[in-house]
mmCIF file with all atom_site columns, all heavy atoms in Angstrom:
data_model
loop_
_atom_site.group_PDB
_atom_site.id
_atom_site.type_symbol
_atom_site.label_atom_id
_atom_site.label_alt_id
_atom_site.label_comp_id
_atom_site.label_asym_id
_atom_site.label_entity_id
_atom_site.label_seq_id
_atom_site.pdbx_PDB_ins_code
_atom_site.Cartn_x
_atom_site.Cartn_y
_atom_site.Cartn_z
_atom_site.occupancy
_atom_site.B_iso_or_equiv
_atom_site.pdbx_formal_charge
_atom_site.auth_seq_id
_atom_site.auth_comp_id
_atom_site.auth_asym_id
_atom_site.auth_atom_id
_atom_site.pdbx_PDB_model_num
ATOM   1  N N   . ARG A 1 70  ? 0.671  17.035 -7.790  1.00 92.00 ? 70  ARG A N   1
ATOM   2  C CA  . ARG A 1 70  ? 1.928  17.024 -8.337  1.00 92.00 ? 70  ARG A CA  1
ATOM   3  C C   . ARG A 1 70  ? 2.923  17.072 -7.076  1.00 92.00 ? 70  ARG A C   1
ATOM   4  O O   . ARG A 1 70  ? 3.332  18.049 -6.636  1.00 92.00 ? 70  ARG A O   1
ATOM   5  C CB  . ARG A 1 70  ? 2.087  18.409 -9.159  1.00 92.00 ? 70  ARG A CB  1
ATOM   6  C CG  . ARG A 1 70  ? 1.395  18.393 -10.329 1.00 92.00 ? 70  ARG A CG  1
ATOM   7  C CD  . ARG A 1 70  ? 1.719  19.431 -11.385 1.00 92.00 ? 70  ARG A CD  1
ATOM   8  N NE  . ARG A 1 70  ? 1.147  19.135 -12.667 1.00 92.00 ? 70  ARG A NE  1
ATOM   9  C CZ  . ARG A 1 70  ? 1.057  19.891 -13.776 1.00 92.00 ? 70  ARG A CZ  1
ATOM   10 N NH1 . ARG A 1 70  ? 1.748  21.065 -13.696 1.00 92.00 ? 70  ARG A NH1 1
ATOM   11 N NH2 . ARG A 1 70  ? 0.591  19.538 -14.910 1.00 92.00 ? 70  ARG A NH2 1
ATOM   12 N N   . MET A 1 93  ? -7.555 20.950 -12.390 1.00 97.00 ? 93  MET A N   1
ATOM   13 C CA  . MET A 1 93  ? -7.200 21.527 -13.744 1.00 97.00 ? 93  MET A CA  1
ATOM   14 C C   . MET A 1 93  ? -8.324 21.429 -14.679 1.00 97.00 ? 93  MET A C   1
ATOM   15 O O   . MET A 1 93  ? -8.867 20.444 -14.964 1.00 97.00 ? 93  MET A O   1
ATOM   16 C CB  . MET A 1 93  ? -5.995 20.679 -14.312 1.00 97.00 ? 93  MET A CB  1
ATOM   17 C CG  . MET A 1 93  ? -5.477 21.250 -15.533 1.00 97.00 ? 93  MET A CG  1
ATOM   18 S SD  . MET A 1 93  ? -4.200 20.194 -16.336 1.00 97.00 ? 93  MET A SD  1
ATOM   19 C CE  . MET A 1 93  ? -2.656 20.738 -15.445 1.00 97.00 ? 93  MET A CE  1
ATOM   20 N N   . TRP A 1 173 ? 5.785  20.747 -23.472 1.00 88.00 ? 173 TRP A N   1
ATOM   21 C CA  . TRP A 1 173 ? 5.260  20.028 -22.305 1.00 88.00 ? 173 TRP A CA  1
ATOM   22 C C   . TRP A 1 173 ? 5.229  18.593 -22.584 1.00 88.00 ? 173 TRP A C   1
ATOM   23 O O   . TRP A 1 173 ? 4.915  18.056 -23.490 1.00 88.00 ? 173 TRP A O   1
ATOM   24 C CB  . TRP A 1 173 ? 3.742  20.512 -22.129 1.00 88.00 ? 173 TRP A CB  1
ATOM   25 C CG  . TRP A 1 173 ? 3.362  20.175 -20.747 1.00 88.00 ? 173 TRP A CG  1
ATOM   26 C CD1 . TRP A 1 173 ? 3.417  20.878 -19.697 1.00 88.00 ? 173 TRP A CD1 1
ATOM   27 C CD2 . TRP A 1 173 ? 2.637  18.934 -20.511 1.00 88.00 ? 173 TRP A CD2 1
ATOM   28 N NE1 . TRP A 1 173 ? 2.859  20.239 -18.689 1.00 88.00 ? 173 TRP A NE1 1
ATOM   29 C CE2 . TRP A 1 173 ? 2.297  19.019 -19.067 1.00 88.00 ? 173 TRP A CE2 1
ATOM   30 C CE3 . TRP A 1 173 ? 2.121  17.762 -21.149 1.00 88.00 ? 173 TRP A CE3 1
ATOM   31 C CZ2 . TRP A 1 173 ? 1.820  18.051 -18.360 1.00 88.00 ? 173 TRP A CZ2 1
ATOM   32 C CZ3 . TRP A 1 173 ? 1.491  16.826 -20.511 1.00 88.00 ? 173 TRP A CZ3 1
ATOM   33 C CH2 . TRP A 1 173 ? 1.332  16.926 -19.054 1.00 88.00 ? 173 TRP A CH2 1
ATOM   34 N N   . ASN A 1 215 ? -2.203 26.822 -20.042 1.00 96.00 ? 215 ASN A N   1
ATOM   35 C CA  . ASN A 1 215 ? -1.235 26.211 -20.964 1.00 96.00 ? 215 ASN A CA  1
ATOM   36 C C   . ASN A 1 215 ? -1.948 25.509 -22.080 1.00 96.00 ? 215 ASN A C   1
ATOM   37 O O   . ASN A 1 215 ? -2.806 24.590 -21.764 1.00 96.00 ? 215 ASN A O   1
ATOM   38 C CB  . ASN A 1 215 ? -0.442 25.254 -20.093 1.00 96.00 ? 215 ASN A CB  1
ATOM   39 C CG  . ASN A 1 215 ? 0.812  24.705 -20.761 1.00 96.00 ? 215 ASN A CG  1
ATOM   40 O OD1 . ASN A 1 215 ? 1.145  25.177 -21.994 1.00 96.00 ? 215 ASN A OD1 1
ATOM   41 N ND2 . ASN A 1 215 ? 1.340  23.659 -20.350 1.00 96.00 ? 215 ASN A ND2 1
ATOM   42 N N   . ASP A 1 238 ? -4.297 19.800 -26.017 1.00 96.00 ? 238 ASP A N   1
ATOM   43 C CA  . ASP A 1 238 ? -4.543 19.446 -24.681 1.00 96.00 ? 238 ASP A CA  1
ATOM   44 C C   . ASP A 1 238 ? -4.244 20.822 -23.874 1.00 96.00 ? 238 ASP A C   1
ATOM   45 O O   . ASP A 1 238 ? -3.176 21.424 -24.005 1.00 96.00 ? 238 ASP A O   1
ATOM   46 C CB  . ASP A 1 238 ? -3.401 18.408 -24.216 1.00 96.00 ? 238 ASP A CB  1
ATOM   47 C CG  . ASP A 1 238 ? -2.986 18.566 -22.731 1.00 96.00 ? 238 ASP A CG  1
ATOM   48 O OD1 . ASP A 1 238 ? -3.827 18.904 -21.878 1.00 96.00 ? 238 ASP A OD1 1
ATOM   49 O OD2 . ASP A 1 238 ? -1.824 18.285 -22.475 1.00 96.00 ? 238 ASP A OD2 1
ATOM   50 N N   . THR A 1 239 ? -5.304 21.307 -23.215 1.00 97.00 ? 239 THR A N   1
ATOM   51 C CA  . THR A 1 239 ? -4.993 22.541 -22.558 1.00 97.00 ? 239 THR A CA  1
ATOM   52 C C   . THR A 1 239 ? -5.308 22.315 -21.092 1.00 97.00 ? 239 THR A C   1
ATOM   53 O O   . THR A 1 239 ? -5.897 21.469 -20.592 1.00 97.00 ? 239 THR A O   1
ATOM   54 C CB  . THR A 1 239 ? -5.924 23.687 -23.019 1.00 97.00 ? 239 THR A CB  1
ATOM   55 O OG1 . THR A 1 239 ? -7.124 23.739 -22.258 1.00 97.00 ? 239 THR A OG1 1
ATOM   56 C CG2 . THR A 1 239 ? -6.153 23.527 -24.543 1.00 97.00 ? 239 THR A CG2 1
ATOM   57 N N   . GLY A 1 240 ? -4.702 23.236 -20.224 1.00 97.00 ? 240 GLY A N   1
ATOM   58 C CA  . GLY A 1 240 ? -4.863 23.085 -18.787 1.00 97.00 ? 240 GLY A CA  1
ATOM   59 C C   . GLY A 1 240 ? -4.767 24.459 -17.992 1.00 97.00 ? 240 GLY A C   1
ATOM   60 O O   . GLY A 1 240 ? -3.814 25.188 -18.398 1.00 97.00 ? 240 GLY A O   1
HETATM 61 N N1  . LIG B 2 .   ? -1.010 19.088 -19.972 1.00 66.10 ? 901 LIG B N1  1
HETATM 62 C C1  . LIG B 2 .   ? -0.701 20.448 -19.797 1.00 66.10 ? 901 LIG B C1  1
HETATM 63 C C2  . LIG B 2 .   ? -0.340 20.975 -18.424 1.00 66.10 ? 901 LIG B C2  1
HETATM 64 O O1  . LIG B 2 .   ? -0.547 20.163 -17.527 1.00 66.10 ? 901 LIG B O1  1
HETATM 65 C C3  . LIG B 2 .   ? -1.837 21.092 -20.472 1.00 66.10 ? 901 LIG B C3  1
HETATM 66 O O2  . LIG B 2 .   ? -3.021 20.766 -19.856 1.00 66.10 ? 901 LIG B O2  1
HETATM 67 O O3  . LIG B 2 .   ? 0.175  22.038 -18.239 1.00 66.10 ? 901 LIG B O3  1
#
Side-chain angles (χ1 to χ4, degrees):
R70 291 193 169 176
M93 185 182 273
W173 198 85
N215 188 13
D238 149 36
T239 89

